[in-house]
Amino acid sequence: MSTNDYVKYMAKTLIQRMETPRSERKKQRDERKQMKTPFLVNWLGMVPFSLTMWLKKDRRKTWRMIKQARYSDR
């Protein structure tokens, strides 16, 4: 890609951006953000996601089990 092609591309994208209204750009940006995967899933896989789902589902039951385990060792 030559410098001239790059300048043409940048000018085209700049003009395109200037012609679209601010509200439309904001709407497009929000749509892109919603399509992204969460950070933990992207870097660590499904394990953190599944753990949070499990803890939210069985929060009371899980905390009871943890407390019982702590006090049963004594």
Side-chain angles (χ1 to χ4, degrees):
M1 182 179 226
S2 69
T3 307
N4 194 22
D5 292 338
Y6 184 69
V7 170
K8 284 181 185 178
Y9 168 75
M10 290 302 292
K12 181 180 172 184
T13 55
L14 182 65
I15 291 170
Q16 206 172 32
R17 179 174 163 82
M18 289 173 60
E19 288 178 350
T20 57
R22 181 177 285 172
S23 60
E24 184 68 29
R25 289 193 310 254
K26 182 170 174 47
K27 195 182 302 181
Q28 289 173 354
R29 192 177 329 122
D30 291 340
E31 288 174 3
R32 277 189 307 233
K33 283 183 182 180
Q34 287 178 351
M35 291 180 66
K36 280 187 178 180
T37 58
F39 176 76
L40 287 176
V41 173
N42 195 16
W43 284 93
L44 302 173
M46 291 298 291
V47 174
F49 178 70
S50 61
L51 285 175
T52 55
M53 281 183 58
W54 180 64
L55 288 174
K56 284 181 181 179
K57 180 181 173 189
D58 296 328
R59 185 175 291 172
R60 290 183 187 159
K61 186 177 178 182
T62 305
W63 286 113
R64 279 191 213 138
M65 288 173 33
I66 291 171
K67 286 180 183 178
Q68 288 175 355
R70 282 185 189 164
Y71 292 117
S72 67
D73 293 339
R74 293 181 184 179

Short mmCIF file of all heavy atoms in Angstrom, two decimals, residues 3-4 7 9 13-14 21 24-25 27 29 32-33 36 41 47 51 53 56 59 61 63 65-66:
data_model
loop_
_atom_site.label_atom_id
_atom_site.label_comp_id
_atom_site.label_asym_id
_atom_site.label_seq_id
_atom_site.Cartn_x
_atom_site.Cartn_y
_atom_site.Cartn_z
N THR A 3 1.77 5.37 -0.01
CA THR A 3 1.38 6.50 0.82
C THR A 3 0.17 7.21 0.25
O THR A 3 -0.73 7.63 0.99
CB THR A 3 2.56 7.49 0.94
OG1 THR A 3 3.72 6.78 1.37
CG2 THR A 3 2.26 8.58 1.92
N ASN A 4 0.11 7.32 -1.05
CA ASN A 4 -1.01 7.98 -1.71
C ASN A 4 -2.32 7.24 -1.44
O ASN A 4 -3.34 7.86 -1.16
CB ASN A 4 -0.74 8.10 -3.21
CG ASN A 4 -1.69 9.06 -3.88
OD1 ASN A 4 -2.26 9.93 -3.24
ND2 ASN A 4 -1.86 8.90 -5.18
N VAL A 7 -3.40 7.90 2.16
CA VAL A 7 -3.97 9.24 2.32
C VAL A 7 -5.39 9.28 1.78
O VAL A 7 -6.29 9.87 2.39
CB VAL A 7 -3.08 10.30 1.63
CG1 VAL A 7 -3.77 11.65 1.59
CG2 VAL A 7 -1.74 10.40 2.34
N TYR A 9 -7.47 6.74 1.58
CA TYR A 9 -8.29 5.97 2.52
C TYR A 9 -8.63 6.81 3.75
O TYR A 9 -9.78 6.85 4.20
CB TYR A 9 -7.57 4.68 2.92
CG TYR A 9 -8.21 3.97 4.08
CD1 TYR A 9 -9.38 3.26 3.91
CD2 TYR A 9 -7.63 4.03 5.35
CE1 TYR A 9 -9.98 2.60 4.98
CE2 TYR A 9 -8.22 3.39 6.42
CZ TYR A 9 -9.39 2.68 6.23
OH TYR A 9 -9.98 2.05 7.29
N THR A 13 -12.41 8.02 4.97
CA THR A 13 -12.99 7.68 6.26
C THR A 13 -13.28 8.93 7.09
O THR A 13 -14.29 8.99 7.79
CB THR A 13 -12.08 6.74 7.06
OG1 THR A 13 -10.79 7.31 7.19
CG2 THR A 13 -11.98 5.38 6.40
N LEU A 14 -12.43 9.94 6.99
CA LEU A 14 -12.66 11.19 7.72
C LEU A 14 -13.91 11.89 7.22
O LEU A 14 -14.75 12.35 8.02
CB LEU A 14 -11.44 12.10 7.60
CG LEU A 14 -11.53 13.43 8.35
CD1 LEU A 14 -11.58 13.16 9.84
CD2 LEU A 14 -10.36 14.31 7.99
N PRO A 21 -24.19 11.87 11.54
CA PRO A 21 -24.52 12.65 12.74
C PRO A 21 -23.93 12.02 14.00
O PRO A 21 -23.66 10.81 14.05
CB PRO A 21 -26.05 12.60 12.80
CG PRO A 21 -26.50 11.99 11.53
CD PRO A 21 -25.34 11.35 10.88
N GLU A 24 -25.87 9.09 15.50
CA GLU A 24 -25.69 7.83 14.76
C GLU A 24 -24.36 7.17 15.12
O GLU A 24 -24.29 5.95 15.30
CB GLU A 24 -25.75 8.11 13.25
CG GLU A 24 -25.66 6.88 12.39
CD GLU A 24 -26.88 6.00 12.51
OE1 GLU A 24 -27.97 6.52 12.79
OE2 GLU A 24 -26.73 4.78 12.32
N ARG A 25 -23.31 7.96 15.24
CA ARG A 25 -22.00 7.40 15.64
C ARG A 25 -22.08 6.80 17.03
O ARG A 25 -21.52 5.74 17.30
CB ARG A 25 -20.93 8.49 15.58
CG ARG A 25 -20.56 8.92 14.19
CD ARG A 25 -19.30 9.75 14.15
NE ARG A 25 -19.29 10.85 15.09
CZ ARG A 25 -19.43 12.13 14.79
NH1 ARG A 25 -19.62 12.48 13.54
NH2 ARG A 25 -19.38 13.06 15.71
N LYS A 27 -24.74 5.60 18.50
CA LYS A 27 -25.54 4.38 18.42
C LYS A 27 -24.69 3.22 17.89
O LYS A 27 -24.74 2.10 18.42
CB LYS A 27 -26.72 4.61 17.48
CG LYS A 27 -27.80 3.57 17.58
CD LYS A 27 -28.94 3.82 16.60
CE LYS A 27 -29.55 5.19 16.83
NZ LYS A 27 -30.67 5.47 15.92
N ARG A 29 -21.42 2.93 18.11
CA ARG A 29 -20.44 2.60 19.13
C ARG A 29 -21.05 1.73 20.22
O ARG A 29 -20.45 0.74 20.67
CB ARG A 29 -19.89 3.89 19.74
CG ARG A 29 -18.68 3.69 20.60
CD ARG A 29 -18.09 4.99 21.15
NE ARG A 29 -18.27 6.13 20.27
CZ ARG A 29 -18.91 7.27 20.63
NH1 ARG A 29 -19.45 7.40 21.80
NH2 ARG A 29 -19.00 8.27 19.79
N ARG A 32 -21.48 -1.82 18.97
CA ARG A 32 -20.21 -2.56 18.97
C ARG A 32 -19.85 -3.02 20.37
O ARG A 32 -19.35 -4.13 20.57
CB ARG A 32 -19.11 -1.70 18.40
CG ARG A 32 -19.04 -1.70 16.90
CD ARG A 32 -17.79 -1.01 16.45
NE ARG A 32 -17.71 0.32 17.08
CZ ARG A 32 -17.54 1.45 16.44
NH1 ARG A 32 -17.40 1.45 15.15
NH2 ARG A 32 -17.49 2.59 17.07
N LYS A 33 -20.09 -2.16 21.37
CA LYS A 33 -19.77 -2.52 22.76
C LYS A 33 -20.62 -3.70 23.23
O LYS A 33 -20.13 -4.56 23.96
CB LYS A 33 -19.98 -1.34 23.69
CG LYS A 33 -18.88 -0.33 23.63
CD LYS A 33 -19.12 0.78 24.63
CE LYS A 33 -18.04 1.84 24.55
NZ LYS A 33 -18.28 2.91 25.52
N LYS A 36 -19.33 -7.17 22.03
CA LYS A 36 -18.08 -7.69 22.57
C LYS A 36 -18.34 -8.73 23.64
O LYS A 36 -19.30 -8.65 24.39
CB LYS A 36 -17.26 -6.56 23.20
CG LYS A 36 -16.49 -5.74 22.24
CD LYS A 36 -15.60 -4.78 22.99
CE LYS A 36 -14.77 -3.95 22.07
NZ LYS A 36 -13.92 -3.04 22.82
N VAL A 41 -14.26 -13.75 30.07
CA VAL A 41 -14.52 -14.86 29.15
C VAL A 41 -13.50 -14.85 28.03
O VAL A 41 -13.01 -15.90 27.60
CB VAL A 41 -15.96 -14.77 28.59
CG1 VAL A 41 -16.19 -15.81 27.52
CG2 VAL A 41 -16.96 -14.94 29.71
N VAL A 47 -14.68 -20.66 32.47
CA VAL A 47 -14.60 -21.01 33.89
C VAL A 47 -15.10 -19.87 34.78
O VAL A 47 -15.96 -20.11 35.64
CB VAL A 47 -13.17 -21.46 34.26
CG1 VAL A 47 -13.05 -21.67 35.75
CG2 VAL A 47 -12.79 -22.70 33.49
N LEU A 51 -18.52 -20.11 37.08
CA LEU A 51 -18.46 -19.96 38.53
C LEU A 51 -19.39 -18.86 39.03
O LEU A 51 -20.07 -19.03 40.05
CB LEU A 51 -17.03 -19.66 38.98
CG LEU A 51 -16.06 -20.84 38.96
CD1 LEU A 51 -14.66 -20.37 39.31
CD2 LEU A 51 -16.50 -21.90 39.92
N MET A 53 -22.10 -17.82 37.57
CA MET A 53 -23.48 -18.31 37.44
C MET A 53 -23.82 -19.26 38.58
O MET A 53 -24.90 -19.20 39.16
CB MET A 53 -23.66 -19.03 36.10
CG MET A 53 -23.84 -18.10 34.93
SD MET A 53 -24.13 -18.97 33.38
CE MET A 53 -25.58 -19.91 33.74
N LYS A 56 -24.22 -17.28 41.88
CA LYS A 56 -25.46 -16.51 41.91
C LYS A 56 -26.66 -17.43 42.13
O LYS A 56 -27.59 -17.09 42.85
CB LYS A 56 -25.65 -15.73 40.62
CG LYS A 56 -24.78 -14.51 40.53
CD LYS A 56 -25.04 -13.77 39.25
CE LYS A 56 -24.15 -12.55 39.13
NZ LYS A 56 -24.36 -11.83 37.87
N ARG A 59 -26.23 -19.15 45.92
CA ARG A 59 -25.48 -18.31 46.85
C ARG A 59 -25.73 -18.69 48.30
O ARG A 59 -24.80 -18.91 49.07
CB ARG A 59 -25.82 -16.84 46.64
CG ARG A 59 -24.98 -15.92 47.49
CD ARG A 59 -25.26 -14.49 47.18
NE ARG A 59 -24.75 -14.21 45.84
CZ ARG A 59 -24.96 -13.09 45.19
NH1 ARG A 59 -25.68 -12.16 45.72
NH2 ARG A 59 -24.45 -12.91 44.00
N LYS A 61 -27.04 -21.48 49.55
CA LYS A 61 -26.62 -22.86 49.80
C LYS A 61 -25.09 -22.95 49.88
O LYS A 61 -24.55 -23.61 50.76
CB LYS A 61 -27.14 -23.75 48.68
CG LYS A 61 -26.91 -25.20 48.88
CD LYS A 61 -27.54 -25.98 47.74
CE LYS A 61 -27.31 -27.45 47.87
NZ LYS A 61 -27.88 -28.21 46.75
N TRP A 63 -22.88 -20.55 50.68
CA TRP A 63 -22.35 -19.92 51.90
C TRP A 63 -22.63 -20.76 53.13
O TRP A 63 -21.81 -20.84 54.04
CB TRP A 63 -22.90 -18.50 52.07
CG TRP A 63 -22.27 -17.56 51.09
CD1 TRP A 63 -22.87 -16.94 50.06
CD2 TRP A 63 -20.89 -17.17 51.03
NE1 TRP A 63 -21.98 -16.18 49.35
CE2 TRP A 63 -20.75 -16.30 49.93
CE3 TRP A 63 -19.77 -17.48 51.79
CZ2 TRP A 63 -19.53 -15.73 49.59
CZ3 TRP A 63 -18.56 -16.90 51.45
CH2 TRP A 63 -18.45 -16.05 50.36
N MET A 65 -22.74 -24.02 53.16
CA MET A 65 -21.77 -25.12 53.10
C MET A 65 -20.39 -24.65 53.54
O MET A 65 -19.67 -25.36 54.26
CB MET A 65 -21.70 -25.69 51.69
CG MET A 65 -22.92 -26.48 51.30
SD MET A 65 -23.02 -27.02 49.57
CE MET A 65 -21.36 -27.31 49.11
N ILE A 66 -19.99 -23.45 53.16
CA ILE A 66 -18.68 -22.92 53.54
C ILE A 66 -18.62 -22.70 55.05
O ILE A 66 -17.63 -23.06 55.71
CB ILE A 66 -18.39 -21.61 52.77
CG1 ILE A 66 -18.16 -21.92 51.30
CG2 ILE A 66 -17.18 -20.90 53.36
CD1 ILE A 66 -18.07 -20.69 50.42
#
